[in-house]
Amino acid sequence: MIRRFSSLAVVTAAALALGLSACAPVDDKPATEPTPSDSASATPTPTPTPTATPSPSPTADLACLVGEWHMGQDQVTAFYNDVNTLMAGSGAKFTPVGTAELVLRKNGTYTWTPAEQVTANVSGTTILIRFKGSITGTYTVTGNGIGGQTQDTSGMEIIATIDGKGTDAGAISQQISSAPITDAKYGCKPTTLTLINKLSDSTATSVLHRK
């Protein structure tokens, strides 16, 4: 079990969390309710004006996003090059082999299929993680941002080994298997989709091509 290697697990968890998933957005902390005064005010307090709800992307953007997208070996490698640059000096390096598929549907659902194998070398220990199957979920688009709202991981099988021996990847596997649309900025052209994910104090870019 990874948790047996306590020092390694801490480093690996932080490092592998930078994999194919984007960081989940953190909800803003609710404003503290005002403390009632000892006496009622003679003048009624005006009702605050509701904050405007962000408008969805123009139809043209949605029409561009919808479809089947392919992330080839070169694009997967480029993404992990960004991750490795961010992790420079940590003693961890990631080497991916494989491709990934992303389907974005007009009804707001998606399917993410990372047919990949990622080798993580962490301080001399090799962790191999293989993905089989797909993750499904729902997404929303606002302005130039795209975000996953729900996800179902029941269709994803993850096989992890440390130095060739089977291990339980635990929560780490969930973090690195998620679609790169959890919370990303995007740029869409007729044949190319670019997703920019915030990772720590840097970013990693995923480039996919329309199938």
Side-chain angles (χ1 to χ4, degrees):
M1 299 290 287
I2 285 180
R3 57 176 175 272
R4 294 179 184 173
F5 303 88
S6 57
S7 60
L8 172 63
V10 172
V11 175
T12 305
L16 291 183
L18 299 175
L20 295 177
S21 68
C23 298
V26 179
D27 294 333
D28 292 334
K29 183 178 181 181
T32 303
E33 293 293 331
T35 303
S37 60
D38 293 334
S39 59
S41 173
T43 304
T45 302
T47 302
T49 303
T51 302
T53 301
S55 300
S57 293
T59 303
D61 287 349
L62 294 175
C64 181
L65 285 167
V66 170
E68 299 182 9
W69 300 94
H70 174 75
M71 192 172 184
Q73 175 67 69
D74 289 347
Q75 288 73 45
V76 170
T77 299
F79 176 87
Y80 276 95
N81 284 343
D82 286 352
V83 174
N84 287 330
T85 297
L86 176 62
M87 295 302 299
S90 70
K93 183 177 180 180
F94 304 89
T95 305
V97 176
T99 60
E101 312 292 332
L102 175 64
V103 179
L104 297 173
R105 302 180 184 86
K106 188 175 181 180
N107 65 358
T109 63
Y110 74 85
T111 299
W112 169 247
T113 308
E116 299 174 355
Q117 175 175 290
V118 178
T119 301
N121 292 310
V122 183
S123 300
T125 297
T126 299
I127 302 174
L128 183 64
I129 301 179
R130 291 181 290 163
F131 304 103
K132 294 181 179 180
S134 301
I135 291 176
T136 59
T138 60
Y139 71 95
T140 58
V141 179
T142 302
N144 66 340
I146 184 169
Q149 299 301 300
T150 64
Q151 70 170 6
D152 179 0
T153 61
S154 61
M156 172 66 69
E157 180 183 6
I158 301 171
I159 303 171
T161 58
I162 295 179
D163 290 338
K165 298 180 180 180
T167 186
D168 179 7
I172 295 173
S173 63
Q174 299 301 319
Q175 293 173 323
I176 67 174
S177 66
S178 298
I181 63 169
T182 303
D183 183 19
K185 299 298 182 183
Y186 76 88
C188 190
K189 296 181 179 180
T191 60
T192 306
L193 174 62
T194 302
L195 300 167
I196 302 175
N197 297 287
K198 181 72 174 179
L199 299 179
S200 186
D201 295 326
S202 187
T203 59
T205 302
S206 302
V207 178
L208 300 93
H209 298 286
R210 194 181 296 277
K211 294 179 66 176

